[in-house]
Amino acid sequence: METKGGFLITRIKQVGGRIFERILAEKNIDAFNGPQGRILYILWQKDGIPIRDISKKTGLAMTSLTSMLDRMETGGLIRRDRSDRDRRKVLIYLTEAAKGLEQEYNSVTEKIRSIYYKGFSENEIMHFESYLERILKNVEEEE
C-alpha cells in the first residue's frame, strides 16, 4: 500500500503557515508571527515554564527557540527569570502586552480552524485529531 500521509502533513503545514501569516496581516497583527504564536499559545496555557518545556511542546529546536525568544523579549512579549527553586533554570513568562494579545490570536486560530475543517462533521474532526495524536505519539517515541 502506498501512503502519502507525511507528504500531506508537510504540505498542510506549509500552506497553513502561509494562510496564518496572511490572516495576521489582514487583521493588522504585527506583534508576533506564526512560530512566535505557537510559543505564546503554550505560555497562555501555562506561564513561567522552562525553555526545554516550550521546545518539547512546540517541536522547535532549542537553537531556533533561543533566537526566537531573544526577538520576543526585545519585542516586549516575554521575559526571562531564574527559578526560585533552581537558580540554574530559566523560566519564560509572558509580559502584560503578550497577555493582551491572546484574544487576537484566538480570532486568527478560529479563522484557520474554519478553513481546515470546512465541510467536516464534529465526529470526523474528533476521529481525525485522534489519528493525528496517535501519529504524533509514534514519532515522538521514535525520537
Side-chain angles (χ1 to χ4, degrees):
M1 175 174 99
E2 184 180 337
T3 62
K4 55 185 177 179
F7 174 79
L8 294 172
I9 289 169
T10 300
R11 288 287 297 138
I12 291 166
K13 182 180 181 293
Q14 291 169 334
V15 175
R18 288 193 298 267
I19 294 169
F20 192 89
E21 295 294 336
R22 186 187 76 219
I23 295 168
L24 286 174
E26 288 170 358
K27 292 181 175 281
N28 293 317
I29 300 171
D30 59 3
F32 61 88
N33 61 29
Q36 291 172 340
R38 292 192 322 212
I39 296 167
L40 291 171
Y41 175 79
I42 297 302
L43 292 169
W44 286 318
Q45 309 309 304
K46 185 173 191 297
D47 201 14
I49 61 175
I51 295 171
R52 188 161 306 284
D53 289 2
I54 296 171
S55 175
K56 287 178 187 172
K57 291 174 189 257
T58 61
L60 294 167
M62 290 294 286
T63 51
S64 302
L65 183 58
T66 301
S67 61
M68 289 175 68
L69 291 172
D70 288 344
R71 288 191 299 278
M72 291 174 75
E73 188 171 31
T74 300
L77 295 174
I78 58 115
R79 66 180 174 81
R80 293 175 166 110
D81 203 359
R82 298 251 176 229
S83 169
D84 290 337
R85 293 189 321 204
D86 181 351
R87 300 299 295 162
R88 296 169 297 176
K89 190 179 286 186
V90 175
L91 304 178
I92 306 300
Y93 291 91
L94 293 168
T95 63
E96 289 304 313
K99 290 176 184 176
L101 295 171
E102 185 175 9
Q103 196 163 8
E104 288 182 271
Y105 180 85
N106 288 341
S107 74
V108 175
T109 58
E110 186 54 43
K111 176 70 175 163
I112 286 285
R113 187 178 296 117
S114 72
I115 292 168
Y116 277 21
Y117 293 131
K118 184 168 70 176
F120 284 80
S121 70
E122 284 186 29
N123 192 44
E124 288 173 319
I125 294 168
M126 183 185 68
H127 285 291
F128 171 68
E129 289 188 353
S130 73
Y131 298 145
L132 289 176
E133 287 171 1
R134 285 171 52 193
I135 291 170
L136 179 58
K137 182 177 181 263
N138 290 343
V139 296
E140 285 179 339
E141 285 175 357
E142 188 64 30
E143 188 178 41

